[in-house]
Amino acid sequence: MNEQNESRRFDRMMMIKGMDDTAMKRLKQARVLVVGSGALGSMCSMQLAASGVGYIGIADFDTVDISNLHRQIFFDMESLGKLKCDILAKRMIANNPNVKVEKFPLRIDQESAAEIFGDFDFVIDGSDNPTTKYMTSVSCQKMSIPYCIGGIREMSGQVMSWSPGHLGYTDIFGDIRQCAQRPECKPAGVLGSAPAMVASIQVAEAIKYFTGIGEMLYDRLFMFDLKTLKTQILNYE
C-alpha cells in the first residue's frame, strides 16, 4: 500500500485529538499478541489490524465449529473445521495488507508463554477461561509486559489493564488456578454483541498504551450489563 492510500485509510482516525503522525507511527511499530481467536480474540485481532497496529501475533489451537458463528463473526460456514488462526490471519491481511501477522496454532501455557510473550510489547487476553487469564497475567508480570484482560458471561462483560507498578489480575480476582472447579466459572451462555463490546475496549486500551492518548484502566475494573445498560468502574487504588 502506497503512502497516499495509507494516509487516506486512517484519515478519520487521525482526526482524533492527539492521533497525529507520531501516534500512528507508534501504532505501526507496535507488536501486540492476542491470546485466543474466539469471540474476543478474533474481534480484537481484526480491530488491531484495521487500526494500523503493525505486528500482531494470534495464538489459538482451536478449529471453527458451527456453534461459534453467532458471536465469532469473522468465521463462516466455509470456515468449519479449519484452524481459527489461519482463517483470521487471512482476513486481517485482506483488511490491511501492511499488517504482519504471526500465527501460533497452539494452546498457550506457562512454558510456551515464556518463549512467545517476550517478542511483544503488549498482550491482549481474549481467552474464554479463567485459567488462561491467570497464566497470561502471571507470565506477563514476570516479564513486565503490559496486558489487557477481558471476560464475558451471558450479557455482561469486564475489562482491566496492567503495567508495572499497578494492580494485576490476581490482585483483583485472587489466585484462580483452581477456578475451573467453581460453578461460576463453568461455561455459560453468551449474547453475540457482548464480546464485541469487550473487545472494542481492549483494543482501545492497547491503542491508548502506545499513543499515550487517554487514561488506561489501571487499578480499575470496568463492568457492563447489557440487560440493564448499566456500567460500573471499580477502583482499587
Side-chain angles (χ1 to χ4, degrees):
M1 186 188 306
N2 62 42
E3 188 173 338
Q4 182 179 5
N5 284 340
E6 188 168 10
S7 179
R8 288 184 59 196
R9 170 183 286 269
F10 299 114
D11 64 347
R12 292 299 183 92
M13 190 168 170
M14 294 182 69
M15 291 179 184
I16 299 170
K17 185 177 181 180
M19 196 68 72
D20 54 16
D21 289 335
T22 300
M24 292 304 300
K25 184 176 181 180
R26 289 173 182 161
L27 289 179
K28 195 170 184 177
Q29 295 173 340
R31 300 172 64 93
V32 179
L33 175 67
V34 181
V35 177
S37 293
L40 291 177
S42 62
M43 182 68 71
C44 285
S45 297
M46 288 297 298
Q47 289 193 32
L48 289 168
S51 298
V53 172
Y55 194 100
I56 304 168
I58 49 176
D60 198 304
F61 68 96
D62 203 5
T63 56
V64 180
D65 184 82
I66 195 169
S67 64
N68 301 146
L69 301 185
H70 89 281
R71 64 195 184 280
Q72 299 178 24
I73 60 175
F74 299 105
F75 307 125
D76 54 32
M77 293 296 291
E78 293 184 0
S79 306
L80 298 182
K82 298 177 182 177
L83 278 171
K84 290 181 179 180
C85 61
D86 285 345
I87 300 296
L88 189 58
K90 291 178 182 178
R91 292 192 179 276
M92 293 162 68
I93 294 169
N95 178 278
N96 182 1
N98 283 352
V99 69
K100 291 181 174 59
V101 182
E102 185 171 2
K103 298 178 293 183
F104 300 96
L106 47 78
R107 186 191 296 272
I108 295 288
D109 55 23
Q110 289 193 358
E111 183 178 351
S112 57
E115 297 177 358
I116 295 170
F117 283 19
D119 290 332
F120 293 89
D121 307 313
F122 194 93
V123 174
I124 290 180
D125 188 296
S127 65
D128 61 0
N129 65 88
T131 302
T132 301
K133 298 181 194 301
Y134 173 88
M135 178 279 303
T136 294
S137 67
V138 170
S139 299
C140 284
Q141 287 174 219
K142 283 183 179 178
M143 292 182 273
S144 297
I145 302 170
Y147 62 76
C148 181
I149 293 179
I152 47 175
R153 188 176 181 86
E154 296 186 354
M155 297 176 68
S156 63
Q158 302 175 331
V159 187
M160 63 153 294
S161 293
W162 175 88
S163 70
H166 296 280
L167 295 177
Y169 183 75
T170 56
D171 295 311
I172 294 176
F173 292 99
D175 187 336
I176 55 171
R177 282 173 288 186
Q178 307 303 318
C179 187
Q181 300 177 7
R182 290 159 40 185
E184 66 270 23
C185 294
K186 299 296 183 182
V190 179
L191 182 70
S193 57
M197 289 190 63
V198 170
S200 295
I201 296 169
Q202 289 184 278
V203 171
E205 287 293 285
I207 291 172
K208 289 189 294 182
Y209 173 77
F210 289 109
T211 64
I213 298 172
E215 183 179 355
M216 298 288 294
L217 275 172
Y218 293 150
D219 307 312
R220 298 184 294 165
L221 179 67
F222 175 83
M223 302 184 295
F224 67 83
D225 187 342
L226 292 177
K227 289 181 181 178
T228 60
L229 290 182
K230 290 182 178 178
T231 61
Q232 185 179 10
I233 296 180
L234 300 182
N235 292 288
Y236 293 90
E237 296 176 298

